Amino acid sequence: MENFPTPRRLTPEEAKRQRQRSIAIAAVLFTLVTIFYVLTIAKLGPQVLNRAL
Amino acid sequence: MTSLSNSLPAGAEPHPVTMAVGGEVSDFFALLKPRVMVLVIFTALVGMVVSHVHIQPVVGTISLLMIAVGAGASGCLNMWWDADIDAVMTRTAKRPIPDGRIQPGEALAFGLVLSVGSVLVLGLASNWLAAALLAFTIVFYAVVYSMWLKRTTPQNIVIGGAAGALPPIIGQAVVTGSVGIESLVLFLIIFIWTPPHFWALALIKSGEYAKAGIPMMPNVAGPQSTRRQIIYYSLVLFPIGLAPVALGFGGWLYAVTAFFGGLGMLAFSVHVFRNREGEAERKAAFGMFGFSILYLFLLFAALLAEQSLGLFRAVMV
């Protein structure tokens, strides 16, 4: 197996920024999921509840 | 452009670029030009309300959000492309890319993902005409204006102004699925307003633009010709600003705002023409620049208030 060089350790400041970016990406993904869900319900309208059980 | 010195004029020194391992979240947000996004939301919303067509509030809100994200994405691509000239102008040197807080490749990827994403979600949320218009706006701003016009012609902001004028048309397309006379008139107002607005700033910053090699009107045709053209555009803007009244979707509140606002634009343009030296010149140009922002805001705010707060009283019967 090829030996890859060990990546350098991030400074505390860089690690903090990376963590903030990860949280922001998670928030954007969650927003996107919410948008698609709400949009689907809004487009279906009240008829979505009117079905035979 | 991505290389920070590949098209700078001779003698121009870019700011030193420090390498960073990823920027802060706020740096990525700054790439979207948030103040422009607010203006885009505002003008697109007015394009929606003058259409008098009901839209499901959730669909309307998400569509507005996507128009804003698309506008932000085009701003991000603009900053990626213009990083080299941003670095030599004091007004823009502290932007995330020239300041080294974000790498050009990161900005490019961010802008492309948001461009494609905003167009797709807008198409799914409203209709594909609105999505196509948003895609056209992004391409027009990022490619036609930023990559082509900005560095080649003093008419850059005249033609490129079309990109900033399109949001009301997209707004109307969202709610009606078509483009009507109302949004075309709003487009025309922003389109004609853009040159006097930017040239007022260009008169003050002509040294900066010259340093960056951007052929703004004061640098190519001279300040005096620019001042004359500011008056011409303000003259044309006056009747176009009143067109919504003639077409019946602007009421008394709008009519008064557009009339006195148009007179204000003319007065400021004459003031700029008369004051050609030193501090008086700078003050006059800054006054024109500031008033032009107020003028456009009041015009659109008057339309929004009339259409959404029930203040509309027809002028033309």
Side-chain angles (χ1 to χ4, degrees), chain A residues 8 10 13-14 17 20-21 24 32 35-36 38-39 42-43, chain B residues 20-25 28 56 58 62 65 121 124-126:
Chain A
R8 80 173 172 86
L10 296 178
E13 175 58 27
E14 287 171 342
R17 269 186 275 158
Q20 285 173 341
R21 286 199 304 273
L32 211 51
I35 282 175
F36 278 113
V38 171
L39 202 55
K43 290 225 163 205
Chain B
V21 181
E24 292 185 15
V25 174
F28 282 92
Q56 218 285 341
V58 171
I62 292 172
L65 182 68
V121 176
L124 292 169
S126 59

Side-chain angles (χ1 to χ4, degrees), chain B residues 49-136:
Chain B
V49 299
V50 296
S51 306
H52 292 294
V53 175
H54 174 75
I55 183 170
Q56 218 285 341
V58 171
V59 173
T61 307
I62 292 172
S63 299
L64 265 183
L65 182 68
M66 288 308 117
I67 295 171
V69 171
S74 66
C76 177
L77 293 173
N78 166 272
M79 281 204 209
W80 162 73
W81 183 259
D82 279 345
D84 58 337
I85 50 179
D86 281 351
V88 293
M89 295 199 289
T90 49
R91 187 172 69 89
T92 51
K94 284 289 164 195
R95 283 178 173 174
I97 305 174
D99 201 38
R101 305 196 302 276
I102 286 182
Q103 297 307 304
E106 291 177 311
L108 174 63
F110 188 53
L112 288 177
V113 167
L114 290 185
S115 298
V116 174
S118 60
V119 169
L120 287 179
V121 176
L122 182 64
L124 292 169
S126 59
N127 58 72
W128 293 102
L129 173 66
L133 284 166
L134 180 63
F136 176 77

Side-chain angles (χ1 to χ4, degrees), chain B residues 14-257:
Chain B
H15 279 229
V17 174
T18 52
M19 298 298 283
V21 181
E24 292 185 15
V25 174
S26 60
D27 293 327
F28 282 92
F29 189 62
L31 284 177
L32 304 179
K33 299 189 177 180
R35 278 181 296 182
V36 176
M37 283 170 82
V38 171
L39 191 68
V40 165
I41 289 175
F42 184 50
T43 54
L45 177 65
V46 175
M48 284 177 166
V49 299
V50 296
S51 306
H52 292 294
V53 175
H54 174 75
I55 183 170
Q56 218 285 341
V58 171
V59 173
T61 307
I62 292 172
S63 299
L64 265 183
L65 182 68
M66 288 308 117
I67 295 171
V69 171
S74 66
C76 177
L77 293 173
N78 166 272
M79 281 204 209
W80 162 73
W81 183 259
D82 279 345
D84 58 337
I85 50 179
D86 281 351
V88 293
M89 295 199 289
T90 49
R91 187 172 69 89
T92 51
K94 284 289 164 195
R95 283 178 173 174
I97 305 174
D99 201 38
R101 305 196 302 276
I102 286 182
Q103 297 307 304
E106 291 177 311
L108 174 63
F110 188 53
L112 288 177
V113 167
L114 290 185
S115 298
V116 174
S118 60
V119 169
L120 287 179
V121 176
L122 182 64
L124 292 169
S126 59
N127 58 72
W128 293 102
L129 173 66
L133 284 166
L134 180 63
F136 176 77
T137 305
I138 295 169
V139 170
F140 195 86
Y141 186 68
V143 178
V144 178
Y145 170 69
S146 303
M147 297 182 187
W148 177 32
L149 297 171
K150 187 170 179 179
R151 301 176 194 228
T152 54
T153 168
Q155 298 294 334
N156 47 15
I157 53 103
V158 178
I159 308 165
L166 277 164
I169 293 184
I170 306 173
Q172 186 165 46
V174 164
V175 293
T176 65
S178 63
V179 175
I181 187 74
E182 297 89 352
S183 64
L184 286 173
V185 167
L186 297 181
F187 168 88
L188 210 54
I189 290 172
I190 304 175
F191 184 71
I192 300 296
W193 165 88
T194 305
H197 167 72
F198 272 109
W199 285 340
L201 182 71
L203 280 171
I204 309 163
K205 302 278 181 187
S206 61
E208 291 260 293
Y209 284 119
K211 202 166 68 171
I214 304 173
M216 291 301 282
M217 193 57 82
N219 303 88
V220 177
Q224 200 50 15
S225 167
T226 307
R227 292 187 191 103
R228 251 197 313 275
Q229 292 188 62
I230 287 176
I231 293 183
Y232 298 153
Y233 273 94
S234 300
L235 274 169
V236 175
L237 185 60
F238 186 78
I240 291 174
L242 287 166
V245 181
L247 291 166
F249 66 95
W252 274 105
L253 177 65
Y254 178 84
V256 171
T257 310

Side-chain angles (χ1 to χ4, degrees), chain A residues 1-31:
Chain A
M1 262 180 76
E2 192 180 343
N3 285 329
F4 290 103
T6 313
R8 80 173 172 86
R9 292 183 71 86
L10 296 178
T11 66
E13 175 58 27
E14 287 171 342
K16 185 183 157 203
R17 269 186 275 158
Q18 192 177 53
R19 182 177 154 75
Q20 285 173 341
R21 286 199 304 273
S22 301
I23 292 170
I25 291 169
V28 168
L29 286 175
F30 180 77
T31 307

